[in-house]
Amino acid sequence: MGVQMGRERRVGEQRSAGRRRAGATSCLALAWLAASAVAGSAQIPEEFTNLRYFPQDITRDDLIDAMRTMSLDLGVRCQTCHVGSVDGTSFEGVDFASDESPRKVAAREMLSMVDRINAAVAELPDRGRARDLVSCKTCHAGAIRPQTLSQFLAARLESDGPESLEQAYADARRQLEWGRFDFREWELNLWGEELAGAGRVDEAIAVFELNRGHHPESASILTSLGALYERADRSEDAIATYERLLELQPQNVQVRARLDALRGREALPGA
Ligand code: HEC
Ligand code: HEC
């Protein structure tokens, strides 16, 4: 009983949080919906027959509000979760009650999951009541699949190889405005270290070279890159990298020692 009431209360909170956000983005929301939903809103049913998460007595306005917020948070159209559109864009033929789309089923799971997360957050000591509630956007940030920059690039690395990384990075940059990705250097440095640890030296080099292009003054990147070039027997590249690093950190004795060792090796005939 208590649990049930708690759940009801949080559902209400989530809905009003949705309304606040909808207010902040109303222009965008209107623009978003102009093409499809508003034009077809007459085709959104008045009665709902398959609500398992939202309360049965939810008003039509509140339900559509929640749907619109979810669509914006994931950067998708209604038809991504609701099947049957005759042409893929209009609401004609859409069966909103159908659970045929795995994405709709996933979204329903996610709605409950978000409530569980927020309930757990509210349990934190000295918290009383969670102030900043988690929403779909906290993780999804405008994408159907939440991914870090490394995960986004790793998918491209696996499918299209290291040559595709520069383009993939540019694709990610274009989504800067959504606040989707972390472009600070450590996001990719850690991934590069992971690849190096797995013995994928050439790919690790590709990741650090990519990252160096965007953080040319980073000593951490140059240090990792120098070591990787050495591992790949690319002495000339290692020397150039350490020389650059020494310009940035003239007092770095370790780098000076590496340089001397490499130059010594280079100088040795037949080495
Ligand atoms: C990310 C997936 C997703 C998106 C996008 C989405 N919906 Fe939904 N929709 C759901 C889920 C899940 C339910 C079921 C909720 C429940 O079980 O209480 C639902 C239920 C509905 C229902 C009630 C159907 C019934 O009879 O039970 C309507 C109407 C609806 N959505 C309209 C929309 C509209 C309009 C949009 C676009 C503005 C939209 N939805 C976008 C997932 C989505
Ligand atoms: C705590 C983080 C988090 C929150 C909050 C969250 N999601 Fe997700 N969601 C995920 C993850 C992780 C996946 C799985 C991604 C994958 O499979 O690669 C996912 C997957 C999904 C999918 C399936 C995507 C696909 O490719 O088929 C849908 C739909 C979805 N979420 C909807 C929602 C909705 C709607 C909300 C808000 C009610 C929400 N999510 C809140 C983390 C989250």
Side-chain angles (χ1 to χ4, degrees):
M1 172 69 181
V3 171
Q4 189 56 34
M5 280 177 64
R7 184 174 178 279
E8 288 299 319
R9 182 169 49 77
R10 282 192 299 278
V11 170
E13 279 171 6
Q14 155 140 351
R15 261 191 271 130
S16 53
R19 216 170 292 134
R20 271 199 307 281
R21 278 197 310 279
T25 53
S26 61
C27 291
L28 178 57
L30 280 179
W32 180 271
L33 290 176
S36 59
V38 166
S41 70
Q43 282 152 308
I44 300 175
E46 298 289 336
E47 303 277 311
F48 310 126
T49 57
N50 190 20
L51 295 185
R52 294 155 193 244
Y53 170 82
F54 289 105
Q56 300 303 320
D57 61 353
I58 188 171
T59 67
R60 189 168 177 273
D61 278 356
D62 279 353
L63 184 81
I64 292 176
D65 229 27
M67 291 297 144
R68 205 193 326 184
T69 303
M70 284 200 306
S71 304
L72 283 167
D73 284 2
L74 272 64
V76 298
R77 324 169 67 98
C78 312
Q79 290 87 343
T80 302
C81 294
H82 294 293
V83 296
S85 172
V86 289
D87 56 7
T89 54
S90 82
F91 279 173
E92 206 186 326
V94 172
D95 180 359
F96 287 101
S98 163
D99 278 351
E100 198 183 312
S101 160
R103 286 188 159 146
K104 182 185 177 191
V105 176
R108 189 185 277 128
E109 283 300 316
M110 291 267 148
L111 282 160
S112 303
M113 178 194 77
V114 167
D115 283 345
R116 288 196 303 276
I117 293 174
N118 285 325
V121 170
E123 296 291 314
L124 291 175
D126 297 329
R127 204 54 196 248
R129 177 178 171 280
R131 279 157 297 206
D132 291 323
L133 293 177
V134 168
S135 70
C136 315
K137 192 168 195 166
T138 311
C139 296
H140 283 266
I144 184 85
R145 290 184 59 197
Q147 284 176 313
T148 62
L149 181 61
S150 310
Q151 289 170 335
F152 179 81
L153 296 181
R156 291 280 281 271
L157 176 68
E158 298 305 334
S159 61
D160 304 329
E163 312 76 47
S164 68
L165 284 179
E166 199 71 59
Q167 183 58 48
Y169 196 96
D171 293 344
R173 287 290 291 197
R174 269 197 292 281
Q175 302 177 27
L176 200 57
E177 232 174 67
W178 309 355
R180 218 188 126 179
F181 296 122
D182 177 359
F183 289 99
R184 291 171 300 171
E185 64 165 298
W186 278 97
E187 167 69 21
L188 294 198
N189 289 356
L190 292 176
W191 178 37
E193 284 173 15
E194 219 175 274
L195 288 169
R200 297 170 67 173
V201 175
D202 291 342
E203 286 158 313
I205 287 175
V207 168
F208 278 108
E209 284 178 344
L210 172 74
N211 215 18
R212 179 186 54 188
H214 296 277
H215 304 279
E217 306 281 282
S218 162
S220 313
I221 293 175
L222 293 173
T223 306
S224 297
L225 209 41
L228 282 164
Y229 285 142
E230 284 198 64
R231 239 175 112 177
D233 279 329
R234 291 168 60 177
S235 307
E236 273 176 34
D237 290 325
I239 289 174
T241 304
Y242 289 140
E243 280 172 347
R244 173 78 190 114
L245 186 53
L246 215 50
E247 282 170 28
L248 295 170
Q249 301 186 326
Q251 314 298 335
N252 193 327
V253 288
Q254 273 130 335
V255 174
R256 200 172 286 280
R258 284 314 308 145
L259 256 181
D260 287 345
L262 281 164
R263 284 190 181 128
R265 202 199 302 164
E266 289 277 289
L268 280 180

